[in-house]
Amino acid sequence: MKNSIEIDSYLKFTSFKRLKFWDYYTLSNKSKINSNYPLVELSEVLTQRKDSIIIDDTKSYKRCRVKVRGQGIVLRDEVLGKEIKTKKQFLCKEKDFLVAEIDAKVGGYGIVPKELVNAIVSSHYFLFEIDKNKLNPEFLSIITKCGAFSKQVKATGSTNYAAIRPYHVLEYLIPLPSIEKQDKIVALYNRRINLAVEQKKNSIQLEKDIEDYLLRVLKIEKLKKKENAKGLQLISFKEVSRWDSLFLMGSMPKLKSGFPIKKFTSVISSFNKGNNDESLRINSRDFSNDDFKYIGMEHIEKETGRLLELKAVKGKEIKSQTLRVPKGYFLFGKLRPYLNKYWINHTEIENIICSSEFFVFDINDSVNKLFFKYILSSSFIQSQISEKTSGARMPRINEEIFFNLQFPLPNKQLQEEISQYITNLKNQIKELITKAKENKNRALLEFEQEVFRPL
């Protein structure tokens, strides 16, 4: 009897009349979903579209791309038919459900938006027409963002090419309220999402307000893009302070302001060196078992100066050259400087090191550090940098360019007033972004609480 009980606990029984397919995937992939509403297979509300077209070499076609994690469908590119190798393609219709054969396992599916009507996809994508009398396409779009749905999507095959088939999609289960109830649930979801969008929009406007304020209070004239002169150009020896090609091809644009113009070189007190004039460069592999906090280019958010991660590492884990980052020192990314990656170390953390793709420096007492931080992020600094980096695939700025960047320097009192004003706006921006994220997360949480019940 005991053995019989043990066997029963391992054996699973399935009624023949419920089986449509006999593959291992179908027999093992029925996910447990508990809902406040009836559960239906997608086969009851979706029909696979198999109508195809033959590509005309002379015509232009939009091609779709499916973003992962259920983030929707976007334009991949627009190309002439002659550039498309596979001539048999499928046309997207508005509000079709599009699923990527391989990326489905990581949430590669979504609803076709209006702007991508008649865009094409290859046979590596599956298109399904939605019965809109039974299923609101927006409701399905939100459902696909939920964990209960994504747990059903299990691809088969080798690791790199694990894929699903159309019949797998049709076997997935979703909760299905009445169409009227779906509309109400979607409206509540969108109300909170729209609030998040508005908060994000307001944060972007405040960033613009900061830039406008900085230009206004520093009485800065907008920099004009320098036109490249044509033909042979003559340069007087007495005007040449540098002989590198960057300088000879075009001088730094002249910054004009109601305040004295200074160059970075006049306020930088230490550059890649510590307070005792010792080099900040360190080969972390020489300290293989020491603990460090590492900052790479990817760890600083572009344009905001926000540190995304202070990664804990052992010295031996970092293969490239690094620099120490003492307290009070600045970082500025010299690789792809248009990303505007900067940071100031206000922490008490010891043993912070960073990638050698950063400049590490300190400034003298003539400049308020917060004021200089906001100067680093300004458009007039970026305008000067772009003159020297445009066109390069992996642009970098060198020390010479960095030292010669210009900025207005008002008195210390005005620097502090500017810093305080911008800091207040930055705090408002941070709060708006936090609330936007909270509302976006709450929108999905409230949807799940309405549609699903915990097991």
Side-chain angles (χ1 to χ4, degrees):
M1 178 63 73
K2 182 179 178 181
N3 288 339
S4 176
I5 293 172
E6 288 177 352
I7 290 171
D8 286 344
S9 67
Y10 289 101
L11 289 175
K12 304 296 179 186
F13 296 91
T14 302
S15 172
F16 286 136
K17 67 180 180 181
R18 297 186 63 190
L19 288 180
K20 295 181 182 179
F21 307 102
W22 288 81
D23 63 327
Y24 170 78
Y25 178 98
T26 303
L27 294 174
S28 64
N29 195 47
K30 284 296 182 183
S31 179
K32 293 179 180 178
I33 294 178
N34 203 11
S35 175
N36 300 315
Y37 301 101
L39 294 177
V40 301
E41 290 184 352
L42 283 177
S43 59
E44 295 187 29
V45 289
L46 299 184
T47 305
Q48 186 182 6
R49 290 191 40 242
K50 298 183 179 180
D51 46 315
S52 61
I53 63 166
I54 301 301
I55 295 299
D56 184 334
D57 285 353
T58 64
K59 290 184 178 180
S60 180
Y61 295 90
K62 291 180 180 180
R63 295 193 290 189
C64 292
R65 180 171 67 85
V66 181
K67 297 175 75 175
V68 298
R69 295 188 295 278
Q71 296 303 303
I73 317 297
V74 295
L75 178 67
R76 172 186 167 190
D77 56 20
E78 191 165 351
V79 297
L80 278 174
K82 65 180 182 180
E83 297 178 38
I84 302 171
K85 292 181 180 179
T86 305
K87 296 305 178 184
K88 181 181 177 181
Q89 299 278 329
F90 297 86
L91 278 178
C92 295
K93 293 183 180 179
E94 186 178 1
K95 297 186 178 179
D96 276 352
F97 184 50
L98 180 61
V99 182
E101 176 185 42
I102 293 181
D103 285 343
K105 61 183 180 288
V106 287
Y109 32 69
I111 305 297
V112 176
K114 186 175 183 179
E115 60 269 23
L116 290 178
V117 169
N118 292 330
I120 59 171
V121 292
S122 71
S123 59
H124 292 295
Y125 292 89
F126 312 132
L127 274 167
F128 298 91
E129 186 175 359
I130 299 172
D131 184 346
K132 298 177 185 65
N133 293 319
K134 296 179 181 178
L135 178 61
N136 181 326
E138 282 192 77
F139 184 82
L140 176 59
S141 178
I142 304 167
I143 282 279
T144 61
K145 293 178 173 65
C146 299
F149 177 85
S150 60
K151 286 176 183 176
Q152 300 177 93
V153 186
K154 297 177 182 177
T156 58
S158 62
T159 302
N160 292 333
Y161 295 96
I164 63 166
R165 303 306 305 151
Y167 66 80
H168 295 146
V169 178
L170 296 174
E171 284 276 291
Y172 299 153
L173 295 172
I174 64 165
L176 194 68
S178 68
I179 193 71
E180 294 79 15
K181 184 63 177 177
Q182 291 176 49
D183 293 343
K184 289 179 181 178
I185 294 171
V186 167
L188 288 171
Y189 175 88
N190 284 337
R191 189 178 303 168
R192 194 167 287 283
I193 290 294
N194 290 338
L195 178 57
V197 169
E198 188 63 27
Q199 288 164 335
K200 181 65 175 176
K201 183 180 175 182
N202 289 341
S203 74
I204 293 171
Q205 181 58 50
L206 281 179
E207 289 285 5
K208 184 179 182 302
D209 291 346
I210 288 174
E211 184 62 29
D212 292 343
Y213 165 77
L214 200 55
L215 294 174
R216 185 176 67 254
V217 76
L218 293 177
K219 303 175 184 177
I220 293 175
E221 293 183 23
K222 256 190 172 179
L223 286 174
K224 293 181 180 178
K225 187 171 178 62
K226 187 177 181 295
E227 295 292 333
N228 291 327
K230 296 180 180 179
L232 182 65
Q233 302 298 311
L234 301 178
I235 300 174
S236 171
F237 286 133
K238 68 180 181 180
E239 295 176 359
V240 176
S241 59
R242 290 166 50 196
W243 289 87
D244 59 281
S245 60
L246 279 173
F247 180 80
L248 295 175
M249 288 170 61
S251 59
M252 196 75 78
K254 186 72 175 177
L255 185 68
K256 295 181 180 179
S257 166
F259 297 95
I261 300 296
K262 300 290 183 181
K263 291 183 177 180
F264 279 12
T265 189
S266 68
V267 299
I268 292 176
S269 58
S270 300
F271 189 83
N272 290 349
K273 290 185 177 181
N275 293 326
N276 298 322
D277 211 34
E278 80 280 6
S279 174
L280 294 175
R281 295 190 181 278
I282 173 176
N283 187 346
S284 58
R285 283 174 293 179
D286 292 342
F287 307 89
S288 59
N289 292 315
D290 286 12
D291 294 315
F292 294 95
K293 299 291 186 180
Y294 176 73
I295 301 174
M297 289 288 288
E298 68 277 15
H299 299 141
I300 294 180
E301 189 174 58
K302 66 178 182 179
E303 298 180 347
T304 68
R306 188 166 74 90
L307 186 65
L308 300 174
E309 183 182 3
L310 198 53
K311 188 176 180 181
V313 296
K314 294 287 186 182
K316 60 188 175 186
E317 296 177 51
I318 306 298
K319 306 301 181 186
S320 57
Q321 189 77 26
T322 57
L323 296 96
R324 292 190 182 275
V325 187
K327 182 179 178 181
Y329 273 57
F330 289 86
L331 298 184
F332 188 85
K334 59 183 177 180
L335 173 65
R336 295 194 182 100
Y338 55 82
L339 295 176
N340 211 4
K341 296 201 171 189
Y342 61 94
W343 183 66
I344 181 170
N345 181 12
H346 285 307
T347 75
E348 299 291 339
I349 299 171
E350 299 288 338
N351 266 7
I352 296 179
I353 57 175
C354 72
S355 163
S356 58
E357 293 294 358
F358 289 104
F359 294 133
V360 182
F361 63 94
D362 197 7
I363 58 176
N364 61 40
D365 292 338
S366 67
V367 189
N368 179 294
K369 289 198 172 187
L370 268 181
F371 173 77
F372 195 76
K373 176 184 173 183
Y374 298 136
I375 289 293
L376 283 176
S377 68
S378 66
S379 63
F380 56 84
I381 292 297
Q382 279 298 310
S383 295
Q384 296 174 68
I385 290 173
S386 66
E387 290 288 320
K388 299 300 182 184
T389 58
S390 58
R393 190 177 68 86
M394 292 285 283
R396 284 179 175 83
I397 56 170
N398 58 30
E399 295 176 17
E400 193 75 25
I401 292 172
F402 188 70
F403 285 147
N404 281 281
L405 295 175
Q406 307 159 20
F407 72 103
L409 186 62
N411 59 54
K412 288 292 286 286
Q413 182 179 344
L414 184 53
Q415 290 179 43
E416 290 172 8
E417 289 175 6
I418 291 171
S419 300
Q420 188 59 55
Y421 183 83
I422 295 178
T423 297
N424 289 338
L425 290 182
K426 288 285 187 182
N427 288 336
Q428 291 179 44
I429 291 168
K430 185 177 180 180
E431 185 177 358
L432 282 167
I433 291 173
T434 298
K435 286 182 177 178
K437 288 180 179 177
E438 287 174 353
N439 277 310
K440 188 177 179 181
N441 291 336
R442 281 187 65 186
L444 188 59
L445 178 62
E446 289 170 356
F447 178 91
E448 290 178 318
Q449 288 173 341
E450 168 63 34
V451 174
F452 298 99
R453 286 198 308 266
L455 292 170

